[in-house]
Amino acid sequence: MNYTIIWDHFLEKIKEKISTLSYETWFKDTSLYSIDNGIYRIIVPMSIHKTHINDKYKDIIDELLSTEDSNYKKVEYFLQDEIQSLKEEEEKQDEILDKKERDSSFDTNLIKKYTFENFVVGNSNRLAHATAVAVAENPGSIYNPLFIYGNSGLGKTHLMHAIGNYIHEHSNKKVLYVTSDKFIEDFVGINRKNNNDNFDVIDIFKDKYRNIDVLIIDDIQFLGGTTQSQQEFFHTFNSLYNSNKQIIISSDRSPDDLKKLEDRLKTRFCWGITVDIQPPNFDLRVAIVKKKIAASIIEKNIPDDVIEYIAFNVSGDVRQLEGSINRLLAYSSMMGGCDITVDLAMDALTDYVSKGSYEKDDIHKIQRIVSEYFKISIDDLKSKKRNYNVAFPRQIAMYLCRTCTDESFPKLGIEFGGKDHSTVIHSCDKIEREIKVNNELSQIIDILKREINSCSKK
Ligand code: ADP
Ligand code: MG
């Protein structure tokens, strides 16, 4: 649109309607800067023009412009330097829009539904969660890299996406989430294409992995197999790290246990902070089940005793907990939307309960709670290992079984891997004596008893 022509045309018209003196004084030196949504922006020489033209000629101007332009709304007046700041403001807005457009076309691979809001926090994941929030709030500064490890199904991937989503929403930083499989696939992809003399793909790979602010790489244990990919990851890591870009890594084991990974990578993984996620205890399982039910689209009242039944019997893995809730809801709707009761849950969840560590009786429950508390396996508890880290928890477990259940010493011996009843008696006596003099131990026993009792409210 040519504003000069439009404005010249207008000036011709208005000239006919007003005196020459008025025209020369008020209109001759005006120009049209822009038309935006029916709003005409006019540049005038002095401030006095603004008020005077508006007071005296508004009606004529409105009439003239609206006959020429059906979209006409009004006229706004500006001085030359006001137009300058208006221009700058418009340029800024354009830049922001451009950037938004660029950002939205960049694929972060983030899964929106994994957020901090729907991540339930308990003792077993509290540190991992707090560290993740700290990284989300200050990417690239305090904890770099962040290394999260723990068994499958405990929320590592969820937490990493939550960090990514948070950063993506609260800043302009470029976030990229990939699994280590995807990293290898991209890397192998460039090599394959290079054999066909396609050198551009190297740049595409580097652009993808180095031109970002936050790299989230999931399940790094799978990188172990391929040496070349490890090397490339090493370079990617260094490049990002050296420019203070945040790196977040997850694995099913600690950096030390990543046997197939080069030492120089493992060393780097420990430069920042390493946090683990443990299996959720009973209370956290209850909280997770409640949260998942609240978030499910099926509006069904699930009584507390059913929730506790699930949390009690499906232990260990959050993915299994989720599966069991979905299964229960589906089962109830298959049965014509009947009420959800413990009996129905027992029928619906036979697979989950038998696959999970189903505790037939209190002894198994106590063994599980003690092993979770001391972070050793139930197999270790039942083993013949005599090192203190295992033998001491075993004695505590035997003592708790004896005091919390009515089981005989021989029965307890059998349940702890076929030990003689005298071993059990000895352990129980020892702990009983020690509690009286060891304050720390007596506190541990109290905590464990509380956990055992809370699980018994079935
Ligand atoms: P991992 O990556 O450790 O194998 P995921 O992050 O994939 O585990 O978690 C498995 C499922 O369990 C996901 O659907 C996740 O949303 C859910 N989950 C795990 N931990 C929690 C938690 N603390 N609160 C809510 N959901 C959780
Ligand atoms: Mg995962």
Side-chain angles (χ1 to χ4, degrees), residues 113-114 118-122 125 150-159 218-219 250 277 284 288 291-292 317-320 322:
K113 70 170 180 177
Y114 289 148
N118 58 22
F119 187 85
V120 189
V121 183
N125 59 22
N151 287 345
S152 166
L154 297 183
K156 302 182 294 297
T157 299
H158 185 138
L159 214 43
D218 206 352
D219 288 324
S250 85
I277 304 186
L284 181 55
I288 290 174
K291 186 100 181 176
K292 300 281 171 192
D317 174 341
V318 183
R319 201 172 278 127
Q320 280 218 351
E322 279 185 340

Side-chain angles (χ1 to χ4, degrees), residues 9 13 30 57 116 118 130 173 178 183 191 319 376 398:
H9 180 70
K13 294 268 171 197
T30 60
Y57 301 103
F116 284 125
N118 58 22
K173 293 194 185 306
V178 283
F183 183 86
N191 285 330
R319 201 172 278 127
I376 58 171
M398 286 178 172

Side-chain angles (χ1 to χ4, degrees), residues 181-358:
D181 280 343
K182 174 72 182 145
F183 183 86
I184 297 171
E185 190 186 300
D186 283 352
F187 179 66
V188 173
I190 61 167
N191 285 330
R192 199 176 300 130
K193 286 198 183 118
N194 274 336
N195 289 339
N196 299 334
D197 291 339
N198 185 351
F199 290 102
D200 286 351
V201 283
I202 293 193
D203 293 336
I204 295 175
F205 179 86
K206 290 206 169 136
D207 189 53
K208 173 171 176 181
Y209 283 100
R210 298 192 193 176
N211 199 6
I212 50 177
D213 302 299
V214 182
L215 174 64
I216 305 177
I217 182 145
D218 206 352
D219 288 324
I220 199 81
Q221 71 272 11
F222 296 127
L223 194 68
T226 53
T227 337
Q228 276 187 323
S229 301
Q230 283 198 43
Q231 271 171 20
E232 185 53 42
F233 185 69
F234 176 75
H235 296 309
T236 306
F237 184 103
N238 289 344
S239 158
L240 292 173
Y241 186 87
N242 290 336
S243 33
N244 294 324
K245 308 297 187 188
Q246 179 71 47
I247 303 158
I248 303 163
I249 305 161
S250 85
S251 161
D252 66 349
R253 61 203 85 164
S254 74
D256 284 344
D257 291 334
L258 285 163
K259 299 268 181 300
K260 289 184 184 161
L261 233 58
E262 292 178 17
D263 284 344
R264 56 182 187 167
L265 272 177
K266 286 194 255 186
T267 317
R268 274 162 180 73
F269 293 169
C270 298
W271 278 355
I273 190 165
T274 302
V275 288
D276 67 334
I277 304 186
Q278 291 292 325
N281 66 8
F282 176 76
D283 287 344
L284 181 55
R285 291 202 298 276
V286 168
I288 290 174
V289 173
K290 285 188 174 162
K291 186 100 181 176
K292 300 281 171 192
I293 291 170
S296 87
I297 41 164
I298 301 175
E299 281 190 25
K300 199 102 190 125
N301 179 34
I302 303 194
D304 281 353
D305 57 352
V306 174
I307 292 174
E308 288 183 8
Y309 174 82
I310 299 173
F312 186 69
N313 288 296
V314 183
S315 62
D317 174 341
V318 183
R319 201 172 278 127
Q320 280 218 351
L321 274 182
E322 279 185 340
S324 65
I325 299 157
N326 294 340
R327 170 76 194 262
L328 180 59
L329 292 173
Y331 194 83
S332 139
S333 76
M334 251 163 35
M335 306 296 274
C338 63
D339 278 353
I340 295 180
T341 60
V342 172
D343 280 347
L344 186 88
M346 281 170 135
D347 286 345
L349 303 179
T350 43
D351 285 354
Y352 285 93
V353 168
S354 55
K355 268 193 208 143
S357 53
Y358 177 48

Side-chain angles (χ1 to χ4, degrees), residues 390-452:
V390 176
F392 186 55
R394 183 188 300 129
Q395 289 166 347
I396 291 178
M398 286 178 172
Y399 166 80
L400 286 169
C401 284
R402 177 65 186 172
T403 47
C404 300
T405 73
D406 292 322
E407 296 296 352
S408 66
F409 287 125
K411 169 85 197 294
L412 291 177
I414 293 166
E415 292 293 349
F416 278 85
K419 299 202 171 45
D420 192 76
H421 72 280
S422 62
T423 311
V424 185
I425 294 175
H426 169 76
S427 301
C428 293
D429 285 344
K430 179 169 175 260
I431 298 295
E432 198 159 344
R433 261 184 282 118
E434 233 185 282
I435 290 175
K436 294 188 184 123
V437 292
N438 183 339
N439 205 17
E440 201 186 334
L441 175 63
S442 100
Q443 279 174 9
I444 292 174
I445 298 285
D446 280 345
I447 293 170
L448 291 169
K449 279 191 173 163
R450 237 177 288 138
E451 173 80 10
I452 293 164

Side-chain angles (χ1 to χ4, degrees), residues 167-183:
I167 298 174
H168 189 63
E169 264 167 44
H170 291 83
S171 72
N172 293 325
K173 293 194 185 306
K174 268 187 172 183
V175 182
L176 176 66
Y177 167 93
V178 283
T179 59
S180 63
D181 280 343
K182 174 72 182 145
F183 183 86

